[in-house]
Amino acid sequence: MTGWAGTNWQFFDDEDTQTRIGVTFGLGLLDEEVAATGTLSLVLSALRTELSRPVELGPGRTGFPEVIVELGTDTATLLVRGASQTAAAAWRRLPNLFAGWIVTEQTSPIRPEHPVWPADLVRRTGRNAAALASVQVSAADARNRARALLPRLDPGAGKIRSTFFTTDESLIGVGFRVIESAPGPVPSRCWADGTEKLLSGPDLGGTGPDSLEKPAIGNGRGTLPAGEDSVLISTLVPRSAAGLAAAELLRTQLAACAANAGQDPEAIGIGMVGIGAQFCVFLLSETAPGTARRRVLLEFGRSMSMVPDSWVDDAVQETAEGISPRLARERRSLGLDDDQGADAAQVRQALIEATHCLHLALEPIENPSAVTKSSTKGAERIFRPLAGGTPPMDRSTTLALAEDSVALRTRSGGHGGGTKNETRIKRDKALAVLVDPAGTLAIIDDDQQVLSFHPLLFRRSRLLRQRLDTQLHGLPHLENNNDADPAGVSRRRRRATRRPLWLLAGATVVIGYLVVSSVLSNSDEPQVTERITIGQTAQLGNGTTITATGFEKQPKAPEDLESQVAVHVRFCAGGDTSSGDFRPETQRSVSPTDFGMFNEQSAAARLIDSDEQLRRDTLAQGQCAVGDLVFKGVGLAVPRLSYTNSLGDDVIWYSTGQVPSAP
């Protein structure tokens, strides 16, 4: 059962035996300027810290609330979970916490939701903090900004839309009154940098089929580079039941196009993020259709709305039970009208609208060696590596500063002097400058290309810094966060494991030693890296043991291209984590999001809800948490289960006989 009290309190039933009460704010990473990156993260982290403190329930009785935060693209959610009295007592603190004092120097930023294709979001929503969610960076003044934001976020101030929810009807109105009819503050019509938000159907625009090969501008049709091979396309659907049905039909249609080209249809996956009135839908394949890629995508672009009536009818039938409480709550938090469900006509309309804003990932990242001096403006100033530097650089490495760009040139080994490579970032495309504790600079642009180097490893470093100060003037300078704390994220999208952007630039050889040294120096606790067979037990450095059993294949419908695999996890806590840079409970805490599942091609499956799901918890020494994890994805005939935590422990369970031999 789901219902509403007034316009701002939602109540619903579910299978969770614990009481839940929370709030969803109509504010997310797309609303945060690049120069303010990390502000929302710190606000949510500080609120979580204060709400998580033990509560007194009476003589000799203490409650320990569980607090979960989610920072997404356009919403943020704060959730308290526990026994009814514990959850209510913790929640009553919230109205008094929207003050800057709760953000301290010890407040660690959380890890926000990581969009699948950040370069695509920049085209659609402009420059904002979502483009940097994959790297743990914050503005130098993020704490001061967080202290200023907290009073604005207070639901009582009425400046930002917020919607409350609970599974216990007796808690409706606790802390924050029920609003009977007032519509609430008007949401902004622009994203962080002034880019206008799309509204609904006709506002999606589109320039017709002939524009398929033209560069993508905003949300029009076109192609653009994909820095991640798994991304095939993106498009927009309404943030509604009809839009969700249309998104799944698009995935099914692309799978059919892949099958027609002799490719594996089960390799097609889906990811989604919210961008206001729309969902941005990403269709992916870890085993991209190789040489047939272009033909598959162009065929899909022509046929994406030509979905059989029977498919549409089935999709509508699946929405018959109504929209999820989460979707209904997010719509109210964003100022959208309530969704009454989907019918065939609405789904068809959503498919048609999706054709007008299709972005195909056809263009490869520009070949670095193809960039010539003719593409630069003005003369270049060349800086060469410092002799005897630590670490030493190849003498052929140079840093070139032109009036409108910065370029790093290297040479790979080989016959005839090897191959020249160049990473060039144009000043007008640069998004931000990232700075790590060792002084390494990483310039990142709108396409997520990164150029990394350390100025002190080049001759005339003082002159180089002066030139860089002029060249990069006005760009946000952000600091690397080594203390980022994990947070829960939305389950409706596929999650991907990515290497840090610091290691993706052409200058890896220049910065590798500095970055690795700084990371290793942050941890005194020995990190565990184990590769074991399913059914075996891993032990962490603090004595925590983790046993995973199963890889149980669950039945699926014949037409379902994805399969489900369940594992059973037993997590028994050891002692405190001894490293001073990490919280004592780091290795005593467990969450379903610490685990992932991958197929043989390393494509990630997504975690789905299950009746006996492992719960997020912080355990006392000797205490155990037991539960199931169910993953859904493509090609899971021989799955692998992974476990990681913020300390760096890394365990993978393989199917029997699949554990790789030592190198």
Side-chain angles (χ1 to χ4, degrees):
M1 181 184 71
T2 300
W4 289 92
T7 61
N8 65 330
W9 274 91
Q10 180 192 56
F11 58 92
F12 57 92
D13 294 331
D14 61 16
E15 297 178 356
D16 194 343
T17 58
Q18 298 287 298
T19 295
R20 286 185 287 166
I21 184 170
V23 59
T24 294
F25 301 99
L27 193 73
L29 294 172
L30 298 177
D31 302 290
E32 185 169 85
E33 297 177 356
V34 172
T37 297
T39 300
L40 268 170
S41 173
L42 285 166
V43 164
L44 292 175
S45 179
L47 288 171
R48 180 180 63 178
T49 297
E50 294 302 318
L51 288 174
S52 298
R53 300 191 189 283
V55 295
E56 298 299 326
L57 302 176
R61 297 175 59 219
T62 303
F64 297 90
E66 176 186 8
V67 182
I68 301 169
V69 295
E70 296 183 2
L71 176 50
T73 46
D74 59 0
T75 62
T77 295
L78 185 66
L79 168 68
V80 179
R81 178 177 177 271
S84 185
Q85 281 186 299
T86 298
W91 181 258
R92 288 189 178 94
R93 296 171 173 165
L94 185 58
N96 298 316
L97 295 181
F98 292 95
W101 64 266
I102 71 169
V103 180
T104 69
E105 294 304 312
Q106 287 70 47
T107 303
S108 298
I110 63 171
R111 295 177 184 173
E113 179 178 315
H114 182 181
V116 175
W117 194 4
D120 183 64
L121 280 187
V122 171
R123 301 301 196 285
R124 298 188 184 278
T125 64
R127 297 178 173 184
N128 46 63
L132 296 170
S134 60
V135 287
Q136 300 307 308
V137 292
S138 292
D141 61 347
R143 282 181 169 78
N144 288 336
R145 289 176 181 264
R147 294 176 184 121
L149 176 61
L150 267 163
R152 289 187 59 237
L153 201 64
D154 182 358
K159 298 192 179 294
I160 295 172
R161 274 185 172 265
S162 54
T163 306
F164 305 99
F165 59 96
T166 181
T167 56
D168 184 345
E169 287 192 59
S170 69
L171 297 182
I172 292 174
V174 170
F176 302 90
R177 65 186 179 88
V178 175
I179 298 175
E180 294 297 341
S181 58
V186 177
S188 170
R189 295 179 63 89
C190 297
W191 298 120
D193 70 347
T195 299
E196 289 191 11
K197 297 181 180 180
L198 292 174
L199 299 178
S200 57
D203 299 291
L204 297 181
T207 54
D210 294 338
S211 68
L212 187 62
E213 293 294 336
K214 296 179 181 178
I217 301 175
N219 290 289
R221 293 177 61 132
T223 65
L224 68 158
E228 178 185 8
D229 291 340
S230 62
V231 178
L232 300 179
I233 72 136
S234 81
T235 190
L236 303 181
V237 297
R239 198 188 196 112
S240 64
L244 291 175
E248 182 58 28
L249 289 173
L250 290 172
R251 187 193 68 79
T252 304
Q253 183 76 330
L254 181 57
C257 291
N260 291 339
Q263 306 297 319
D264 181 10
E266 293 193 4
I268 305 300
I270 190 170
M272 299 174 66
V273 297
I275 59 170
Q278 286 78 33
F279 282 127
C280 190
V281 180
F282 305 98
L283 298 184
L284 320 103
S285 174
E286 291 291 350
T287 56
T291 57
R293 178 188 182 102
R294 185 177 185 84
R295 181 162 59 88
V296 168
L297 294 187
L298 291 177
E299 178 188 347
F300 174 75
R302 289 187 291 267
S303 66
M304 58 186 292
S305 64
M306 299 166 59
V307 175
D309 289 341
S310 59
W311 292 10
V312 174
D313 292 339
D314 289 343
V316 170
Q317 186 61 38
E318 290 184 6
T319 70
E321 295 182 3
I323 65 173
S324 70
R326 176 172 187 150
L327 177 55
R329 180 169 69 250
E330 288 178 344
R331 287 183 63 88
R332 289 209 177 182
S333 299
L334 295 168
L336 302 175
D337 294 336
D338 289 346
D339 183 21
Q340 303 304 319
D343 59 32
Q346 291 172 324
V347 174
R348 284 285 183 195
Q349 183 62 29
L351 291 171
I352 293 171
E353 290 176 353
T355 67
H356 297 315
C357 45
L358 180 68
H359 290 180
L360 300 183
L362 280 177
E363 297 178 8
I365 290 294
E366 186 176 14
N367 182 359
S369 61
V371 180
T372 64
K373 291 185 180 180
S374 62
S375 65
T376 67
K377 182 178 179 181
E380 290 186 332
R381 186 65 182 261
I382 305 298
F383 293 86
R384 302 188 183 280
L386 187 67
T390 304
M393 283 192 291
D394 190 290
R395 293 197 305 177
S396 64
T397 299
T398 59
L399 190 67
L401 272 61
E403 182 180 338
D404 63 342
S405 63
V406 179
L408 186 78
R409 295 170 183 149
T410 59
R411 185 187 298 273
S412 58
H415 296 292
T419 303
K420 294 181 180 179
N421 301 298
E422 179 182 285
T423 301
R424 180 179 295 275
I425 288 186
K426 293 283 191 177
R427 176 60 179 81
D428 61 357
K429 293 271 291 179
L431 182 68
V433 179
L434 317 182
V435 186
D436 84 339
T440 303
L441 302 182
I443 309 171
I444 182 171
D445 69 6
D446 292 345
D447 290 330
Q448 301 290 291
Q449 181 182 216
V450 181
L451 188 157
S452 302
F453 60 94
H454 198 300
L456 293 181
L457 296 181
F458 290 87
R459 300 175 188 174
R460 297 175 295 172
S461 59
R462 181 177 298 178
L463 176 61
L464 173 57
R465 288 308 303 252
Q466 292 174 350
R467 291 295 184 99
L468 287 171
D469 288 344
T470 300
Q471 185 86 340
L472 306 178
H473 178 72
L475 280 179
H477 282 57
L478 306 173
E479 299 176 349
N480 189 24
N481 293 332
N482 287 324
D483 57 348
D485 190 29
V489 297
S490 166
R491 290 177 183 159
R492 65 166 172 258
R493 63 180 183 83
R494 167 191 171 275
R495 296 190 65 191
T497 301
R498 300 169 185 240
R499 297 168 59 194
L501 283 174
W502 298 95
L503 304 181
L504 293 180
T508 302
V509 66
V510 179
I511 68 165
Y513 174 86
L514 296 170
V515 174
V516 172
S517 296
S518 67
V519 170
L520 292 180
S521 66
N522 285 334
S523 175
D524 300 324
E525 188 81 35
Q527 296 173 340
V528 171
T529 301
E530 290 199 36
R531 302 295 181 261
I532 55 181
T533 300
I534 191 72
Q536 294 183 323
T537 298
Q539 182 166 321
L540 308 185
N542 71 324
T544 290
T545 59
I546 312 171
T547 306
T549 56
F551 284 165
E552 178 183 341
K553 309 296 192 305
Q554 298 189 339
K556 65 174 184 175
E559 67 275 10
D560 194 345
L561 299 179
E562 297 182 305
S563 54
Q564 292 185 189
V565 176
V567 295
H568 185 74
V569 173
R570 182 179 180 85
F571 185 102
C572 295
D576 288 348
T577 298
S578 60
S579 171
D581 291 339
F582 293 86
R583 296 178 178 179
E585 67 270 20
T586 297
Q587 294 168 296
R588 293 190 284 105
S589 299
V590 63
S591 169
T593 57
D594 296 337
F595 297 84
M597 182 170 286
F598 303 86
N599 64 21
E600 288 187 283
Q601 289 75 41
S602 297
R606 63 185 185 278
L607 183 68
I608 64 174
D609 290 324
S610 58
D611 293 339
E612 304 296 331
Q613 180 163 305
L614 181 70
R615 296 297 181 187
R616 186 178 186 274
D617 207 350
T618 297
L619 308 173
Q621 184 171 1
Q623 190 177 8
C624 295
V626 179
D628 295 335
L629 298 173
V630 179
F631 295 87
K632 188 172 184 178
V634 297
L636 294 179
V638 185
R640 293 176 289 167
L641 179 73
S642 68
Y643 166 81
T644 57
N645 58 32
S646 58
L647 182 72
D649 294 323
D650 175 17
V651 182
I652 295 180
W653 287 267
Y654 288 80
S655 300
T656 304
Q658 298 294 318
V659 180
S661 57

